[in-house]
Amino acid sequence: MLGQVIASGLAMGCIYALVALGYAYVWNTMAIVNFAAGEFLTFAAYIFVATFTMSLGLPFWSSLLLTAAAMAALGALFSRLVFARLQRQRALVAIIATVGFGIFLKEMARIIYGPEPLLYVSPFGDDMLDFGGFRLSVQQLLIMVVVVVVMAAQYFVLRYSMIGKIMRATALDRETAALMGIPVNAVLAGTFAFSAVLAALAGILLAPLFYVTTEMGSLVGLKGFVAMIIGGFGSVPGAIVGGVLLGVIENVGAFAISSTYKDAIAFTMLLVFLVVRPEGLIPERSADRA
Amino acid sequence: MSSFLRPAAWLLIAAAIVAPIAMGMNTYYLHVLNLAWIFAIAALGLSVATGVAGQIVLGQAALVGIGAYATALLMMRLSLPWWLALLLAMVLTGAVGAALGLISTRIKGHYLAIVTLALNEIFRIVAVNEEALTGGPMGLRNIPTLSIPGLSETITQQLYLPLAGLMFVSYALMIVFHRSALGRELRAVRDDEMAAEAMGVNSVRAKTIAFMICSLWGALSGGLYVLLVGFVAPTNFTIAESIKMMLMVVLGGLGSIPGTMLGAIVVTILPEALRDLQTYYMAAFGAAVVIIMLVWPKGLGVFSDWLWGSFLTGRREPELSAPAGPLSLAAAAAAASSALAAGPALPETGGPLMRVHKVSRTFGGVRALNDVSFDVIRGEILGLIGPNGSGKSTMINACSGVVHVDGSIELEGHPLQNHPAWEVHAYGVARIFQNVRLWESMTVLENVMVAWRRVPGQPSGEAAIREASLAALEQMGVRHLAMRQAGDLSFGQSRLVEMARAIVGRPKVLLLDEPAAGLRGGLVLELSTILQRLRAQGMTILVVEHRIKLVTSMCDRVVVLNLGDLIADGAPAAVMESPAVIEAYLGERADAASHETRARRIRRRSVNHAVAPG
Amino acid sequence: MNRKTTMDMRSLLALAGVSAALATMPLNGAAAQEQPLIGVSLPMTGSKALVGRNFKQGVELAIADINAAGGVLGKPLQVVFEDDQGDNTNGAINAVNKIMQVHKTPVMIGPHYSVTQMATQNVYCNGKIVSLTGATGVPVTNSGCKYVIRTRSNDDIQAKAIIEYAQKELNAGDKTAVFYANDDFGKSGQARVVAQMAALGLKPLAVESHNPNDKDYSAQLAKLKNAGAVLVVLWAHDTDAALIVKQAKQFGLPFRFAGAVLSEDAFLKLAGSGAEGAISASYFVPTDPNPAVQTFVKRYEERFKMAPDVWSATYYDATVLAAKAINAAGSGDVAKIREAFGSVKYDGLLASYGCDDKGDCNRQVNIVEIKGGQPVVRAAVRY
């Protein structure tokens, strides 16, 4: 059964990694942490399930694309309206403002979609695949595949395309990038939109596993942030490793130590890392500039 | 007009507070108001930690909870009287706060936000599960409540006025604290921690105190809640409650203590007054937080700060008219030179005051300082020059305790290297920063007062500190700016205020990192007169400067760094002729042209260099 | 007028505004004209808003029925609803205070949660109001409060019924484990289950819990499996319970589940085929063949276009019971109404009600098993 526990932890860890990746991108280009990321996830799940799938009756793929587009638009809008103004502020101001926006988003989801949890059945079914001993649901496998694909895609785009170069240039020195003709504001909005799409993906992947509720994203958002700290603040490979590690360790911890204190285990792990290895597992060179 | 309005407003408020009980309003309204007073006290702690000291706490509800549970348990298990239970609960929670404060010196900003959030959740889990101690999910009930017979019949009525009074007293206390020396230190840490440490603020102590205050008020609020309601359960202290308290602080304007009171009252009462609209409440509050943070950071504080008036800011200095010049440096320089002529003889120059011995420092593989050794002689003005990237600023940072190094730096035999910056400042080393680091939300006078340092034989106490600070501002010709907010000053003015801040503690060694940068050309030479004056007052000065003309005119001696190495040490004129220096500046072999022309080119070039970035 | 004075004027205006806002508070209360007889404290916002909606609909249907039958004390029954935000103790205290002080009703329905009951008993147990509640925590009627009426059997009875039935029918014996939600509902239920097992000389193989926000239960399920559990007594909220049985099925774990809410509509909908065979000690299932229940279900569905759940039925009954007691007392006098509860009998949807001195009016639960996706009543247990 331990294999089972690890496999489930791995799937959750992949979700944390997606969210953590969103944090890392935004941190790298804007040096702000978006504490509303979990609520972006919640909101995306609602749009996907309630609006596109249930109300409009669209098939899975078009719902997915439309949700991604809607969240990208919301992300870009939020970035221009709110985030851009937080640039020169102290970290404190940005934290409180994004927490406030998260509450707003969560409450809006409740006002628009009502208090009932929404059930979403994955089009891929909830069959179990037997891998000689332990079982993995199709959905869990899908999560892992999607996360691996996203990780690979973002790596190659960032490494080899012009978009990647532009983003890295903006991250390194915004003023110089602007002087070189890079549309800095568009890049920042684009980065934020990308992180919103990552949250949307996480929400869509989680919808069949969880029920869609207004609370579904809050804890995932926090754990994603913990994952980024463990992996290394702003470090892209760190976010992935940290996410997966957190997912596995908290599940194994709940199994081996205490299920009652499962969340406490995740947060204690955070404290240990902050004291013993504050720069994270795979530190980004320009770590916390706050 | 104004003098009449404020007392009128206060009368109105007093009437509004007494009216509910005097009019015999029923206990529903009184209870809502009682909750408002109690939450205002909890938010007060948060206001000090987050608003004043800049340490983000997203778990205040847990501190309130510890206070509440401790008060209840001490009364129930040990049968202690309420006041003793409350007091002990505050001590216990204060200890928790102190521990949090120590954590916060290692864990900052975003990390602190998530750690405090996590601690709140852990508190909830423990309270639900450790049933033997906490009563589990059903909470503790039948806790003895506090009744004051003779005031009224129900507890709600009896405690109404005492709670309102206690709330006002707590706020008054914290407002006094806000403008006390400690309050200034907390604000300095919030505005610029590095500058605060370099100017003598022990940030570990400041943060620990901030968190202790935060948890003390939290504990008091929790204890009062228990004494009022007689019941406590884990659902009282969820993260949502912590966020609500943060909302009170933000609504009142971050950093405004009176604003927090108004924020707490609005956040507690408004949802009750408009019960029917509650579906939209949290959404509206969420949006309000974003808008306030972005557009109206002062929040409700605008009004309540006015209400408290001079009680908040302390006695205001009468505004002096600005001297004729844009910067009154000319006047100050004139005063300085006349003082020089009339003043006492120069202090004895002589032995080394500060010894830098084999100091090295590496940044990620780049050696910024490489076995640098030199002495600073008592009473001299020593110039520290070198091309860009030669390690000058790193040297200043090392001498002021901002950067850790290998090797030794001694002041009168005391080792200074790798001591916290505030200890270095206490030994008598003060500095200014290359890119001016004032505490922008504080007044100019407060900026200077923070850096005051106890010198044996000099008077101390708030009044003396104030006098000394005003004198320092006077000396820099910026006394008329004393009541201005530091963030509103021009760069040149800020530079002079920073100078005043550096000299107010009568340091033995003054470290100046490009003091002339940002000053208009004509004023640069007057700066040299001021430095002479400071030297005459007994300060030894180490100055980093680009302008060779300035260096030669004001320095007694010059040391030259290049790529982390000390390449010359001697009288300005002699150093300028040194082949190594010429090579360092021009990057040519020394034998290509005569020293004379080369030295001239250095002067020209370094002047151009200094002017270009401005 | 200089700038400073304008500023001051503006501040004074702002102050006047705030005072005006404060002054409207009592006016709201004074505006109520006809004195309602029942105040209802229920969650209308927050995370328990769903419970509150069904709760409220149950009360509304009951009012319609009561008024069709002649109302209370000869007049149509009027009630007021106040939001208590679910298990938020401060919200509940404010709601109860408002009902007592502003609406001044002699009877109150709610607060519904055990923790909010415990928090508000200090406030309302002074002889000024009678509270009817469906809270099942054992302490609710055991804390010395004389003015609480409980319309559902407590956790002890529920736990005893399910454990005894499980032992008798399933013979799980010492292969029983407990899995609960780490909050007031799950934690207190768990304590009762363990106590009832101990009364039968049994000890759970394992006791596991999950946090309210957990959605992945693989670790706990693995521990239950490793412990060798055959029967899992599950004390979790309906949506979480649904996920748990679903995941157990996915992992191929052959547990039999027994619990408190494993017959709720939300549970059945979300758990799908995983729900099959689960048994629970339920207060109400819409498939109960009892004709009174069937009439109620039909009329509820007509009116609200949805199926009733346990909250609708519980508070339908509570409202009817309250109306009967007020009519029996013959006046709005609190002491008389409380006394009347001692004699009123009512064959309701959940049980045949009859109140004892402590205020417990219901000692019945139904043992329900899920067969073919539908809850089937196996037995009604009375103690």
Side-chain angles (χ1 to χ4, degrees):
Chain A
M1 221 26 216
L2 184 63
Q4 194 69 68
V5 172
I6 293 174
S8 291
L10 215 56
M12 259 335 271
C14 285
I15 296 287
Y16 297 155
L18 268 186
V19 178
L21 195 63
Y23 282 121
Y25 269 100
V26 173
W27 177 259
N28 281 336
T29 45
M30 305 171 109
I32 307 181
V33 172
N34 174 22
F35 273 80
E39 279 68 32
F40 271 84
L41 186 159
T42 306
F43 208 73
Y46 268 107
I47 293 181
F48 175 74
V49 173
T51 305
F52 292 126
T53 305
M54 288 163 96
S55 296
L56 301 178
L58 296 177
F60 177 79
W61 290 107
S62 21
S63 297
L64 180 113
L65 287 178
L66 282 172
T67 306
M71 289 310 291
L74 181 69
L77 189 74
F78 177 67
S79 144
R80 292 305 293 271
L81 283 183
V82 179
F83 239 58
R85 292 165 201 257
L86 295 172
Q87 288 289 296
R88 279 173 202 84
Q89 305 266 21
R90 284 179 285 143
L92 177 71
V93 173
I95 292 171
I96 297 173
T98 54
V99 167
F101 191 79
I103 295 174
F104 175 71
L105 217 50
K106 180 157 76 177
E107 292 297 313
M108 285 312 286
R110 195 174 53 75
I111 291 169
I112 297 172
Y113 298 108
E116 277 170 273
L118 301 177
L119 172 65
Y120 174 72
V121 182
S122 160
F124 305 102
D126 50 3
D127 297 336
M128 300 301 289
L129 307 169
D130 206 315
F131 292 91
F134 72 94
R135 300 168 134 212
L136 209 56
S137 74
V138 174
Q139 189 65 25
Q140 286 176 326
L141 193 69
L142 182 71
I143 289 176
M144 293 183 199
V145 170
V146 167
V147 170
V148 169
V149 169
V150 167
M151 299 299 163
Q154 63 87 21
Y155 175 78
F156 285 111
V157 168
L158 217 59
R159 190 84 177 76
Y160 297 111
S161 80
M162 206 53 202
I163 300 174
K165 289 192 177 113
I166 287 174
M167 269 170 95
R168 274 184 294 151
T170 312
L172 280 174
D173 187 338
R174 202 170 301 160
E175 277 72 28
T176 314
L179 288 174
M180 296 295 130
I182 293 175
V184 169
N185 279 332
V187 173
L188 297 183
T191 310
F192 204 93
F194 178 60
S195 88
V197 170
L198 289 177
L201 261 183
I204 292 168
L205 288 170
L206 278 182
L209 284 185
F210 293 17
Y211 307 116
V212 180
T213 64
T214 52
E215 300 292 330
M216 73 180 284
S218 312
L219 202 65
V220 177
L222 278 185
K223 296 253 178 89
F225 185 59
V226 172
M228 183 174 77
I229 293 176
I230 291 174
F233 220 97
S235 150
V236 168
I240 300 165
V241 173
V244 171
L245 201 65
L246 179 66
V248 172
I249 289 185
E250 74 166 4
N251 224 27
V252 171
F255 177 67
I257 305 170
S258 158
S259 54
T260 305
Y261 288 99
K262 180 179 174 183
D263 287 347
I265 289 172
F267 289 130
T268 311
M269 186 172 156
L270 167 73
L271 276 179
V272 169
F273 261 91
L274 283 178
V275 172
V276 178
R277 198 175 162 85
E279 71 277 20
L281 286 173
I282 308 173
E284 174 80 5
R285 247 179 306 158
S286 54
D288 195 348
R289 282 172 283 175
Chain B
M1 182 89 181
S2 161
S3 58
F4 152 77
L5 267 177
R6 195 174 287 130
W10 271 108
L11 270 177
L12 217 68
I13 289 171
I17 285 170
V18 178
I21 193 111
M23 284 160 44
M25 219 186 244
N26 69 46
T27 48
Y28 161 63
Y29 300 111
L30 293 183
H31 182 78
V32 172
L33 290 170
N34 279 343
L35 281 188
W37 312 147
I38 288 178
F39 272 115
I41 293 176
L44 174 62
L46 195 58
S47 188
V48 171
T50 301
V52 178
Q55 307 300 304
I56 187 155
V57 181
L58 290 179
Q60 174 73 341
L63 292 169
V64 175
I66 294 173
Y69 272 102
T71 310
L73 287 171
L74 287 169
M75 285 195 297
M76 294 169 79
R77 299 281 161 81
L78 303 182
S79 312
L80 295 183
W82 67 270
W83 54 270
L84 190 58
L86 190 57
L87 213 65
L88 285 177
M90 287 174 75
V91 170
L92 178 80
T93 318
V96 174
L100 257 180
L102 288 177
I103 289 179
S104 78
T105 58
R106 292 203 60 165
I107 299 171
K108 295 174 185 175
H110 300 99
Y111 298 103
L112 193 60
I114 191 107
V115 165
T116 50
L117 204 64
L119 288 176
N120 197 343
E121 184 59 13
I122 291 175
F123 171 79
R124 190 195 70 82
I125 296 176
V126 171
V128 167
N129 283 290
E130 299 310 315
E131 209 156 354
L133 186 68
T134 62
M138 295 288 179
L140 294 171
R141 45 190 183 275
N142 301 326
I143 306 166
T145 47
L146 171 62
S147 62
I148 309 172
L151 265 180
S152 249
E153 53 181 294
T154 65
I155 294 167
T156 311
Q157 290 163 315
Q158 288 167 1
L159 292 188
Y160 177 79
L161 283 179
L163 282 176
L166 193 59
M167 193 268 292
F168 273 98
V169 170
S170 334
Y171 272 79
L173 266 175
M174 282 299 103
I175 287 168
V176 171
F177 170 81
H178 180 265
R179 60 177 161 94
S180 73
L182 208 50
R184 287 194 296 267
E185 291 193 354
L186 260 50
R187 284 181 282 152
V189 168
R190 170 192 67 192
D191 283 4
D192 188 333
E193 192 170 334
M194 193 219 268
E197 290 179 350
M199 299 318 294
V201 177
N202 180 342
S203 63
V204 173
R205 190 182 72 128
K207 286 182 187 177
T208 308
I209 288 173
F211 274 89
M212 278 175 70
I213 290 176
C214 177
S215 46
L216 283 177
W217 292 122
L220 178 65
S221 148
L224 290 172
Y225 181 84
V226 163
L227 291 173
L228 175 73
V229 176
F231 178 85
V232 63
T235 52
N236 288 51
F237 312 109
T238 54
I239 289 173
E241 294 292 313
S242 293
I243 304 263
K244 213 163 100 183
M245 290 177 210
M246 185 55 82
L247 195 63
M248 297 170 185
V249 176
V250 171
L251 219 55
L254 268 184
S256 161
I257 288 178
T260 302
M261 185 198 294
L262 215 53
I265 292 172
V266 167
V267 170
T268 321
I269 293 182
L270 218 53
E272 281 300 320
L274 305 171
R275 266 177 164 263
D276 301 341
L277 298 175
Q278 263 186 13
T279 314
Y280 306 101
Y281 238 86
M282 281 316 287
F285 269 147
V289 167
V290 179
I291 292 166
I292 285 181
M293 292 318 278
L294 293 180
V295 194
W296 193 36
K298 288 194 162 171
L300 300 170
V302 174
F303 167 67
S304 38
D305 282 355
W306 166 81
L307 209 57
W308 289 83
S310 60
F311 187 61
L312 192 66
T313 50
R315 186 164 54 89
R316 292 190 76 84
E317 203 57 27
E319 293 235 348
L320 298 177
S321 55
L327 291 175
S328 55
L329 199 53
S337 52
S338 61
L340 255 186
L346 290 179
E348 296 239 352
T349 53
L353 175 68
M354 191 183 219
R355 309 194 76 148
V356 176
H357 185 64
K358 285 191 175 293
V359 164
S360 298
R361 169 74 207 204
T362 320
F363 289 112
V366 180
R367 239 172 146 68
L369 290 174
N370 194 10
D371 274 348
V372 175
S373 304
F374 61 88
D375 288 348
V376 184
I377 310 297
R378 191 184 298 273
E380 75 173 340
I381 298 179
L382 174 63
L384 179 59
I385 63 170
N388 274 352
S390 59
K392 303 183 300 289
S393 287
T394 308
M395 194 68 220
I396 294 283
N397 284 342
C399 291
S400 60
V402 171
V403 160
H404 284 197
V405 289
D406 299 324
S408 78
I409 301 170
E410 284 179 0
L411 180 76
E412 294 176 327
H414 293 292
L416 293 186
Q417 77 283 356
N418 305 344
H419 278 250
W422 59 86
E423 282 180 17
V424 174
H425 184 265
Y427 279 127
V429 180
R431 68 171 293 181
I432 67 167
F433 291 87
Q434 190 176 349
N435 46 349
V436 179
R437 304 179 79 135
L438 291 180
W439 301 300
E440 298 197 339
S441 72
M442 299 165 69
T443 65
V444 164
L445 179 60
E446 286 175 327
N447 260 277
V448 180
M449 287 171 82
V450 168
W452 182 86
R453 178 179 79 100
R454 184 183 300 276
V455 179
Q458 297 290 330
S460 63
E462 189 74 4
I465 296 174
R466 195 183 171 90
E467 278 317 306
S469 303
L470 286 169
L473 285 168
E474 177 93 64
Q475 197 169 351
M476 287 298 138
V478 285
R479 184 176 167 145
H480 61 287
L481 300 175
M483 284 299 150
R484 291 270 289 278
Q485 196 173 317
D488 297 342
L489 303 183
S490 73
F491 188 81
Q493 290 170 327
S494 305
R495 174 61 85 201
L496 293 172
V497 172
E498 203 185 23
M499 286 284 287
R501 186 175 76 176
I503 63 165
V504 69
R506 296 169 178 268
K508 293 172 187 150
V509 178
L510 188 58
L511 308 171
L512 303 177
D513 201 350
E514 301 196 24
L519 294 188
R520 288 192 310 127
L523 298 174
V524 169
L525 284 181
E526 281 148 11
L527 180 75
S528 137
T529 322
I530 290 183
L531 294 192
Q532 301 289 344
R533 167 82 197 271
L534 293 175
R535 190 244 303 265
Q537 289 176 343
M539 294 178 207
T540 303
I541 298 168
L542 176 60
V543 55
V544 168
E545 190 46 70
H546 272 300
R547 278 166 254 210
I548 303 295
K549 201 168 129 196
L550 194 59
V551 171
T552 45
S553 75
M554 69 186 176
C555 295
D556 304 319
R557 195 162 63 92
V558 175
V559 289
V560 187
L561 289 178
N562 184 36
L563 298 173
D565 291 311
L566 184 91
I567 55 169
D569 182 347
V575 163
M576 287 305 135
E577 305 300 323
S578 147
V581 174
I582 291 165
E583 187 192 331
Y585 267 85
L586 297 178
E588 291 168 15
R589 296 301 314 163
D591 49 20
S594 78
H595 288 169
E596 185 53 38
T597 49
R598 219 72 63 61
R600 224 179 295 125
R601 279 166 65 188
I602 293 174
R603 280 178 210 119
R604 202 165 53 237
R605 191 163 158 163
S606 59
V607 168
N608 288 343
H609 174 87
V611 167
Chain C
M1 215 190 271
N2 63 24
R3 194 169 147 270
K4 197 162 167 56
T5 330
T6 2
M7 179 73 204
D8 291 351
M9 286 298 285
R10 222 179 296 149
S11 306
L12 199 67
L13 278 177
L15 178 68
V18 172
S19 329
L22 286 175
T24 54
M25 275 177 56
L27 287 180
N28 289 341
Q33 288 164 358
E34 183 121 2
Q35 194 64 24
L37 279 170
I38 299 181
V40 186
S41 161
L42 78 175
M44 289 152 88
T45 59
S47 57
K48 312 286 187 199
L50 189 58
V51 172
R53 187 194 65 190
N54 298 337
F55 180 152
K56 189 170 180 215
Q57 289 175 356
V59 173
E60 281 169 349
L61 191 60
I63 295 169
D65 287 358
I66 292 163
N67 287 342
V72 175
L73 301 179
K75 277 187 282 184
L77 174 63
Q78 288 211 344
V79 305
V80 283
F81 295 98
E82 287 296 344
D83 180 18
D84 62 17
Q85 297 164 26
D87 52 8
N88 179 328
T89 45
N90 282 331
I93 292 175
N94 284 342
V96 169
N97 261 324
K98 186 156 190 199
I99 288 170
M100 290 180 67
Q101 306 289 339
V102 178
H103 305 307
K104 297 192 165 63
T105 62
V107 175
M108 167 170 71
I109 296 180
H112 166 70
Y113 290 91
S114 300
V115 65
T116 48
Q117 265 293 326
M118 300 320 297
T120 53
Q121 287 190 349
N122 278 351
V123 177
Y124 77 71
C125 273
N126 55 3
K128 299 245 171 77
I129 201 164
V130 181
S131 161
L132 282 85
T133 181
T136 57
V138 175
V140 170
T141 53
N142 285 303
S143 61
C145 176
K146 292 281 167 242
Y147 292 89
V148 60
I149 297 291
R150 167 151 58 192
T151 62
R152 292 201 296 173
S153 50
N154 67 26
D155 287 342
D156 257 346
I157 290 173
Q158 215 181 3
K160 192 172 175 191
I162 196 74
I163 291 297
E164 284 183 351
Y165 182 84
Q167 292 315 318
K168 203 167 68 201
E169 301 292 318
L170 307 177
N171 278 321
D174 47 11
K175 296 244 181 270
T176 307
V178 182
F179 191 7
Y180 68 98
N182 202 354
D183 62 8
D184 59 335
F185 165 75
K187 179 81 183 160
S188 49
Q190 175 268 135
R192 297 301 159 182
V193 168
V194 172
Q196 290 301 333
M197 287 180 69
L200 295 181
L202 296 170
K203 198 173 170 300
L205 280 175
V207 179
E208 290 300 318
S209 72
H210 71 85
N211 283 313
N213 283 317
D214 281 352
K215 299 292 173 201
D216 182 292
Y217 308 97
S218 54
Q220 291 92 334
L221 289 170
K223 282 175 105 167
L224 296 175
K225 183 190 175 216
N226 284 3
V230 170
L231 176 71
V232 175
V233 180
L234 183 56
W235 226 268
H237 297 279
D238 46 12
T239 50
D240 296 337
L243 273 182
I244 291 169
V245 301
K246 197 166 149 188
Q247 288 182 12
K249 181 160 184 265
Q250 288 183 334
F251 296 141
L253 303 175
F255 297 148
R256 192 76 190 267
F257 285 97
V261 295
L262 307 187
S263 59
E264 293 304 312
D265 201 39
F267 170 80
L268 294 176
K269 245 191 249 162
L270 299 172
S273 61
E276 201 60 22
I279 54 169
S280 60
S282 301
Y283 297 103
F284 173 83
V285 283
T287 52
D288 190 337
N290 176 353
V293 172
Q294 286 314 310
T295 329
F296 168 74
V297 171
K298 195 162 152 281
R299 295 188 42 257
Y300 190 95
E301 280 173 347
E302 270 168 19
R303 180 162 176 164
F304 301 111
K305 310 287 174 248
M306 60 176 80
D309 71 352
V310 63
W311 318 121
S312 331
T314 302
Y315 288 100
Y316 176 91
D317 272 2
T319 313
V320 174
L321 190 66
K324 282 184 186 296
I326 299 173
N327 272 332
S331 79
D333 181 81
V334 179
K336 281 189 191 148
I337 293 172
R338 175 64 188 86
E339 208 177 305
F341 275 106
S343 56
V344 168
K345 297 281 178 256
Y346 163 51
D347 283 328
L349 306 171
L350 265 54
S352 292
Y353 294 91
C355 305
D356 64 13
D357 282 351
K358 277 158 62 179
D360 279 316
C361 304
N362 177 355
R363 272 159 228 85
Q364 174 180 336
V365 283
N366 300 319
I367 300 294
V368 177
E369 183 173 349
I370 309 303
K371 278 275 178 224
Q374 288 295 320
V376 178
V377 178
R378 285 275 176 233
V381 184
R382 277 184 202 81
Y383 291 99

